[in-house]
Amino acid sequence: MPITPQQLIERKQQGIAIVALTAYDYVSAKLLDRAGVDLLLVGDSLGMVVLGYETTLPLTLDEMIHHAKAVRRGIEKALMVVDLPFLTYQESFQQAMHSAGRILKETGAQAVKLEGGYPEIAETVRRLVLAGIPVLGHVGLTPQSVHQLGYRKQGKTPETSDRIFKEAVALQEAGAFAVVLEHIPSKLAAEISKTLVIPTIGIGAGVHCDGQVLVTHDLLGMTDRVPPFAKRYANLQETITQAVQAYGEDVRDRRFPPD
């Protein structure tokens, strides 16, 4: 049976860390699911690492749904969450409901994720949850606000730290089942994690979160640059390049295919 949002909350209570990664296609979803990942996020990072956009902003809802359908086919156990792309939920609650509803109906995902926690977003989360749509929150560095925030660590001043803390609490009160904490000081993440009943999933937020998420392409060494908070566990970029070069040499030297 697939993991549920409630089971993630129970894991926090039991002190079991949550393992999360991104997935954008059938093959990667199948491999990550078999490896025991608890939560697979079809993140809007799809726009940058798969579609080649400079930021996440150009990604459309239709593009997200297209890839999420493929991911769904590869999952048996993991909880599947899909990002709501930029300007598919900020205009109004009705827009958010339509976008989130399409994702759940058309992809088979169990939940959606959206960025921000200021009052309007918290209210949107509350209304989505009331409609039966599980929501994963996201505070700290929010990539959809790149032109406003850049990719700098957030929460380094007392004012911004207090705002992020209050946003996380507001998302819990609105009914979010968990909150992503991105690129914030470890001390702040620890304080939020200790305060909230729901799990925190960190990315560049230190070890004290209730779980961790990374962009899979960063973990596998398939990107040119890795964020300072990420870790490469393999170098598939080099492995794939060497394999293709070896194939090319065999073809040019008439060693492949063998007689």
Side-chain angles (χ1 to χ4, degrees), residues 138-176:
H138 184 155
V139 298
L141 173 60
T142 47
Q144 292 179 12
S145 302
V146 59
H147 295 314
Q148 200 171 38
L149 303 178
Y151 291 112
R152 300 182 299 274
K153 178 179 282 191
Q154 302 298 304
K156 294 193 293 184
T157 67
E159 294 78 14
T160 56
S161 175
D162 184 62
R163 175 181 57 79
I164 292 170
F165 181 90
K166 289 179 178 176
E167 286 181 339
V169 171
L171 288 169
Q172 173 176 270
E173 292 175 348

Side-chain angles (χ1 to χ4, degrees), residues 9 18 24 66 68 99 106 142 155 176 211 226 234 238 244 253:
I9 295 174
I18 297 164
Y24 314 110
H66 173 81
S99 300
E106 297 180 33
T142 47
V226 174
E238 181 178 298
V244 174
D253 293 340

